[in-house]
Amino acid sequence: MRIGVFDSGIGGITVLSEIRKRLGSVDYVYLGDTAHLPYGTKSPAQVERLSVDCARVLKEKKVDVLVVACNTASSLAIDSIRLAMDPIPVFGMVEPGVEAVLSAIANLEKNTPSMTSKAPIVVLATRATVRSGAYSSALKKHLIPHLLTDEESHSVFELACPLLVPMIEEGWIDHPILHDTLALYVGPHLSETPGVALLGCTHYPWIIAAVQKSLPGWKVVDSANAVASALERSEFKIAKPLTRLGSGNVQWIFTDPDAVPAFATKMIHSMNSGEI
Ligand code: DGL
């Protein structure tokens, strides 16, 4: 069994790492399209073209399953990717992200019975993901059916943070500029009632500590775990069962290898040596 994972850069490594923890000795091919990063500032047509190109590379590598470990590609190009990969099953990030939010909301409400208003939901993402509205519609679809009216539901706010990906790729994952930028993005939108913040970009788990600092009292969640569990649960739905046969090795492909930041290279080495 070989699982293909792709992202515009190093963001998808956060997803790959969760998948590996759960599925272990399967073979993996990771493609980071570092030559065309960032996707999040590009037009829907460009994101679609680049994403389909990445999918085709992984199809040629004979992957049995594809994980689109990029929220931007998942929000804007999942249908075209599925078409290009057919009949290979494709997993995106949006549904698992929604699942992570719903379970965090349920926990929050269970543990804080004194809460008088519905916890707000904020999705931090790239500009392209926010413009697509993919998270708002998916969240509303899941939230509204349980409630009587739109007004009684949780408020959902998608916040575009276009400067974060370049900073992360630059290696500024704990830099004062990063903390200031987060404060500027998030500060004006902090409501009095803390809620749930979803990292709607696979690059953001690299800076989860900084995001948490900018959102005191909020529950910050990412979708890596949810996508790994969706993959595990799907064993019976995909044509070829997810046999655990394989070495657990990752074949790394970066379209611009020189653009991989040092902290990510360190993690790649740890994965290659079996340390993690
Ligand atoms: N990591 C990607 C995402 O989840 C893309 C970031 C970018 O290239 O702008 O959206």
Side-chain angles (χ1 to χ4, degrees):
M1 167 64 55
R2 182 177 296 165
I3 300 181
V5 178
F6 94 82
D7 178 43
S8 58
I10 55 156
I13 299 176
T14 61
V15 178
L16 172 64
S17 146
E18 280 308 316
I19 296 174
R20 250 174 117 242
K21 272 187 218 156
R22 276 183 188 252
L23 300 180
S25 48
V26 164
D27 288 328
Y28 303 89
V29 186
Y30 183 88
L31 171 61
D33 192 10
T34 38
H36 301 107
L37 180 114
Y39 280 15
T41 52
K42 293 188 167 57
S43 70
Q46 284 173 308
V47 172
E48 193 175 333
R49 186 176 51 76
L50 292 168
S51 305
V52 168
D53 284 351
C54 289
R56 288 200 178 116
V57 171
L58 290 169
K59 197 175 186 184
E60 272 165 29
K61 292 275 168 199
K62 307 249 174 296
V63 299
D64 302 293
V65 183
L66 175 68
V67 179
V68 181
C70 171
N71 288 267
T72 309
S74 302
S75 302
L76 290 151
I78 199 80
D79 293 341
S80 312
I81 296 171
R82 290 210 161 107
L83 209 63
M85 291 303 283
D86 190 50
I88 297 161
V90 175
F91 289 75
M93 298 305 295
V94 179
E95 286 298 319
V98 168
E99 206 182 290
V101 169
L102 297 181
S103 103
I105 289 278
N107 272 337
L108 199 69
E109 288 176 347
K110 198 171 91 197
N111 299 330
T112 333
S114 57
M115 262 176 91
T116 48
S117 55
K118 293 272 170 202
I121 298 166
V122 64
V123 181
L124 308 179
T126 66
R127 190 168 271 150
T129 299
V130 170
R131 281 192 180 145
S132 78
Y135 273 105
S136 295
S137 18
L139 278 164
K140 288 201 170 132
K141 198 171 84 195
H142 283 86
L143 290 167
I144 305 294
H146 307 298
L147 300 153
L148 292 173
T149 66
D150 208 342
E151 287 76 55
E152 286 175 40
S153 189
H154 301 259
S155 68
V156 176
F157 186 72
E158 290 189 74
L159 184 61
C161 308
L163 293 175
L164 298 184
V165 167
M167 284 189 201
I168 295 164
E169 292 278 341
E170 193 60 33
W172 295 354
I173 53 175
D174 189 26
H175 195 284
I177 290 178
L178 173 77
H179 293 285
D180 289 350
T181 308
L182 275 167
L184 285 168
Y185 278 142
V186 162
H189 305 284
L190 282 185
S191 58
E192 279 171 24
T193 323
V196 172
L198 172 70
L199 303 181
C201 169
T202 54
H203 276 70
Y204 300 168
W206 287 108
I207 54 161
I208 191 163
V211 176
Q212 184 65 74
K213 206 167 149 199
S214 72
L215 285 163
W218 284 62
K219 177 76 189 157
V220 179
V221 296
D222 73 71
S223 21
N225 205 16
V227 80
S229 113
L231 206 56
E232 198 168 41
R233 286 195 312 262
S234 74
E235 292 200 37
F236 306 105
K237 288 189 206 139
I238 57 183
K240 200 165 162 188
L242 272 180
T243 48
R244 307 289 160 113
L245 291 178
S247 57
N249 281 347
V250 186
Q251 180 187 350
W252 301 94
I253 306 167
F254 290 99
T255 49
D256 178 0
D258 293 340
V260 181
F263 68 90
T265 308
K266 217 167 125 193
M267 181 143 170
I268 291 170
H269 286 321
S270 306
M271 279 189 179
N272 289 347
S273 65
E275 249 171 72
I276 55 169

